[in-house]
Amino acid sequence: MKKTYKIEVDCANCANLMEEAARKTAGVQAATVNFMTQKMIVEFADGQEPKTVMAEVLKACKKVEPDCEIFL
């Protein structure tokens, strides 16, 4: 399953850090962050609950970029 989320991130480097953190999160098969459109596309592994996984993605992203936002 693939879902798109609106994000708020200040710079392209921060977006790259968020993308890397999201990719390393359990339950995420793939993730792409587009700084220009302020969107994150997440592909979830089979059988994963998107809300649960995205809560972990948000925690991981906050570790690398404390002022980022993901609108779930």
Side-chain angles (χ1 to χ4, degrees), residues 1-12:
M1 173 187 297
K2 195 182 278 192
K3 287 191 159 210
T4 302
Y5 297 91
K6 177 149 178 44
I7 62 169
E8 189 174 296
V9 63
D10 297 332
C11 68

Side-chain angles (χ1 to χ4, degrees), residues 24-36:
K24 292 179 180 177
T25 304
V28 174
Q29 191 169 356
T32 305
V33 174
N34 187 316
F35 171 67
M36 295 302 289

Side-chain angles (χ1 to χ4, degrees), residues 14-30:
C14 299
N16 287 337
L17 293 172
M18 284 178 65
E19 182 176 302
E20 192 174 306
R23 285 183 178 160
K24 292 179 180 177
T25 304
V28 174
Q29 191 169 356

Side-chain angles (χ1 to χ4, degrees), residues 34-63:
N34 187 316
F35 171 67
M36 295 302 289
T37 62
Q38 296 281 296
K39 291 188 178 173
M40 174 186 279
I41 300 169
V42 180
E43 188 172 342
F44 300 95
D46 289 338
Q48 296 295 318
E49 175 59 45
K51 284 186 179 184
T52 307
V53 173
M54 285 308 294
E56 294 303 312
V57 168
L58 182 58
K59 284 182 196 174
C61 288
K62 290 275 189 188
K63 285 181 184 174

